[in-house]
Amino acid sequence: MNDSSIEQLMNLAGGQENIRLVKHDENTTTLTLRNRTGVNMSLPDFDADIRITGGQCNITLKDEFSQLYNTLQALGVGKEEGDALPETRRTRKKSLLYFISDVFRPLMPAILGAAVLKIVLAIITLFNVYSSTDSSSLMDSQTFLIFKSIGDSVYYLLPILVAISTAYRLKSNVYVAVAIGGLMFYPQMTALLSGEEDVHFMGVPIVSQAIFFSASIWVILMIYAASYLEKVVEQISPRVFKGILAPLLTFLILVPLVLMILGPIGTWIDQQLPDVVDSLLNDAPIVAIMLLGAVYSLMMIAGLHYWLLPMIINELMVNGFSLIIPVMLVAFVAQAGASLATGLRSNQLEFRKLAFWATGTALLGTPEPAMYAVNMRKRASFYSALLGGATGGLYFGLLSVKAVALGGSGSLLDFPLFMEAGSLNLLHVCVGLIISFCVSGVLTYWMIGNERKHV
């Protein structure tokens, strides 16, 4: 909602001071008023459900992405006091996947907008490569570079955006969260973790992969821990230190503690993951590709997929082809199939629209909307996407599907990478992707329907 809509809502509710409580429940935000006589019923064309029960008045508005709720919270409207709203439905404890999805959903307009721009630029690049005319001047132009930077900026700044959204969800200090999310962007940290030298923090080795520490899951968990630390410290802090001591302890204790925990984990992964994947590819390639197809989405969440790039380059240099590159494509297509089925099963118009758009972006190389905002809402959808990736990976492994060049980002536009003279490699790619899409989609559709029957 824009500022004028917020102002209209305040007028409808009889002023900010008349709002006693603001609650968000799935896709609606409800305002509980102190005095029902303050409601301004003369406002025309305002889409709100006004319910008056006895002396209590509630105003309910559609708020699919929690934007209205977060805006009102930021303005300090209707902070919780006294009794909460009565429960109108049976609620279940939210899983970590659901919470992560809640964090990402307000970010979807920006992510989808950037994704569509990146797809358009990818199509232009594809036409440029296979065009009979020389259009390299367009590709080398500063205009094209600026548009590419615009498309990439949202993903570059994603840790900060995730930090802000997480802080809003947890009602913690947004500015401390931004400082945490942006830590790895600080020039000295970037230079330190560039891989030119071994890095140690208080004697503990830290892997030289800044992108690993900036993975969304670690940012979310760190701010989750920071929110609890903030509440505890604020309760015991003397008045003179309130608002200062909690951020100080977060920066002084929590952030270093997380680095000391994640640092050795990242170092161990850096040492073990390449050997494990290489061993599996050499000794049991079918199993390796199937497992990678299943877990590639999980690797993206944890920031582990970047470790596969050196292996891909080594594959292309030694063998002239890569068995890992097709895994990216099959995993993204599986996410698309689950997203489409989830959208078809949903009765919420806004969510269905999001799911359909997310399906398209996943097929074209940007799976984050499908994975975070759609499939993580339902465990059935997310697990079905993993199974779809495993099934497609199994087919790819059995038929030794390969990519003969490096490029692209797991998009259907990357088909030229799989063209191999005198073989059916491209046909097998198409079959494997159809299998992956159908398995994840059908499983999702069936499992969500089965869940509803038992609710």
Side-chain angles (χ1 to χ4, degrees):
M1 299 185 89
N2 53 36
D3 292 340
S4 61
S5 298
I6 293 293
E7 185 178 351
Q8 277 189 299
L9 178 59
M10 294 297 104
N11 290 335
L12 174 66
Q16 176 175 334
E17 63 281 354
N18 195 38
I19 301 175
R20 182 176 68 84
L21 189 64
V22 178
K23 280 285 187 180
H24 184 74
D25 183 13
E26 292 188 356
N27 61 338
T28 61
T29 290
T30 301
L31 283 60
T32 301
L33 305 186
R34 302 180 190 278
N35 184 0
R36 68 174 187 173
T37 59
V39 179
N40 184 1
M41 305 293 289
S42 63
L43 287 177
D45 302 327
F46 199 85
D47 187 14
D49 178 22
I50 302 176
R51 293 171 293 165
I52 300 177
T53 306
Q56 181 171 300
C57 179
N58 295 331
I59 301 176
T60 303
L61 302 95
K62 290 183 179 180
D63 190 17
E64 177 69 21
F65 301 108
S66 307
Q67 292 177 331
L68 170 60
Y69 176 76
N70 291 333
T71 301
L72 294 176
Q73 288 293 306
L75 294 174
V77 177
K79 293 292 185 181
E80 290 193 24
E81 58 180 59
D83 298 329
L85 288 177
E87 291 289 338
T88 58
R89 69 183 74 179
R90 182 170 62 92
T91 59
R92 293 180 294 179
K93 187 178 180 180
K94 299 296 191 299
S95 65
L96 175 62
L97 292 178
Y98 195 96
F99 179 79
I100 294 173
S101 179
D102 267 357
V103 168
F104 270 88
R105 292 189 76 186
L107 308 179
M108 282 304 108
I111 292 177
L112 283 172
V116 172
L117 178 57
K118 285 168 65 70
I119 290 168
V120 171
L121 296 177
I123 294 173
I124 294 174
T125 303
L126 185 67
F127 277 119
N128 175 75
V129 172
Y130 292 96
S131 174
S132 58
T133 59
D134 182 16
S135 55
S136 59
S137 58
L138 170 63
M139 306 300 299
D140 297 333
S141 68
Q142 294 177 342
T143 300
F144 189 87
L145 178 61
I146 290 174
F147 275 121
K148 188 175 184 300
S149 300
I150 293 172
D152 291 337
S153 63
V154 172
Y155 299 92
Y156 179 76
L157 297 173
L158 192 58
I160 294 178
L161 298 177
V162 167
I164 293 172
S165 183
T166 305
Y168 270 122
R169 297 294 304 173
L170 299 173
K171 302 177 184 178
S172 62
N173 192 311
V174 176
Y175 305 104
V176 173
V178 169
I180 293 174
L183 175 63
M184 294 304 161
F185 296 109
Y186 187 65
Q188 288 186 351
M189 285 294 291
T190 304
L192 189 64
L193 298 177
S194 62
E196 296 180 359
E197 59 180 343
D198 294 336
V199 181
H200 292 78
F201 177 72
M202 298 179 67
V204 176
I206 295 180
V207 65
S208 296
Q209 286 276 4
I211 196 68
F212 171 67
F213 296 103
S214 297
S216 298
I217 183 66
W218 309 132
V219 174
I220 290 172
L221 292 178
M222 193 184 304
I223 295 171
Y224 198 93
S227 70
Y228 278 99
L229 177 63
E230 178 183 332
K231 292 174 183 176
V232 172
V233 173
E234 284 297 312
Q235 288 177 354
I236 63 176
S237 295
R239 181 176 300 178
V240 68
F241 290 115
K242 285 191 180 296
I244 299 176
L245 192 57
L248 171 63
L249 293 180
T250 299
F251 294 139
L252 189 62
I253 299 175
L254 185 61
V255 176
L257 180 63
V258 170
L259 289 177
M260 293 177 67
I261 294 174
L262 292 182
I265 293 175
T267 301
W268 183 83
I269 292 171
D270 191 30
Q271 295 171 349
Q272 300 297 325
L273 184 62
D275 293 338
V276 171
V277 174
D278 283 340
S279 177
L280 280 174
L281 286 174
N282 292 328
D283 300 335
I286 296 174
V287 175
I289 299 304
M290 181 184 70
L291 290 177
L292 283 174
V295 304
Y296 189 82
S297 297
L298 298 177
M299 294 178 70
M300 287 187 63
I301 295 172
L304 303 180
H305 58 302
Y306 293 99
W307 268 285
L308 295 177
L309 182 58
M311 296 181 234
I312 292 173
I313 295 174
N314 183 66
E315 276 188 310
L316 291 170
M317 292 177 61
V318 175
N319 304 323
F321 60 83
S322 171
L323 298 176
I324 299 178
I325 292 177
V327 169
M328 299 168 54
L329 184 55
V330 78
F332 292 179
V333 168
Q335 292 290 341
S339 177
L340 177 62
T342 305
L344 292 174
R345 274 295 192 185
S346 176
N347 296 322
Q348 301 172 12
L349 180 60
E350 287 298 318
F351 183 76
R352 295 186 72 176
K353 182 173 68 175
L354 170 62
F356 295 155
W357 271 101
T359 300
T361 60
L363 291 173
L364 294 173
T366 307
E368 285 85 357
M371 185 164 59
Y372 290 116
V374 179
N375 295 335
M376 281 189 177
R377 306 292 288 184
K378 299 280 187 180
R379 281 177 288 187
S381 305
F382 190 72
Y383 297 150
S384 296
L386 302 185
L387 288 173
T391 307
L394 176 61
Y395 181 87
F396 278 7
L398 289 171
L399 277 300
S400 298
V401 172
K402 58 182 76 74
V404 296
L406 177 64
S409 56
S411 165
L412 294 183
L413 299 176
D414 293 341
F415 274 161
L417 302 179
F418 304 99
M419 293 180 179
E420 186 180 38
S423 77
L424 298 176
N425 190 65
L426 183 58
L427 175 62
H428 293 316
V429 169
C430 296
V431 174
L433 295 182
I434 292 173
I435 291 173
S436 179
F437 188 88
C438 292
V439 167
S440 63
V442 171
L443 272 177
T444 299
Y445 196 85
W446 174 74
M447 290 175 69
I448 291 179
N450 196 44
E451 281 182 355
R452 290 179 177 175
K453 290 179 182 178
H454 293 86
V455 172

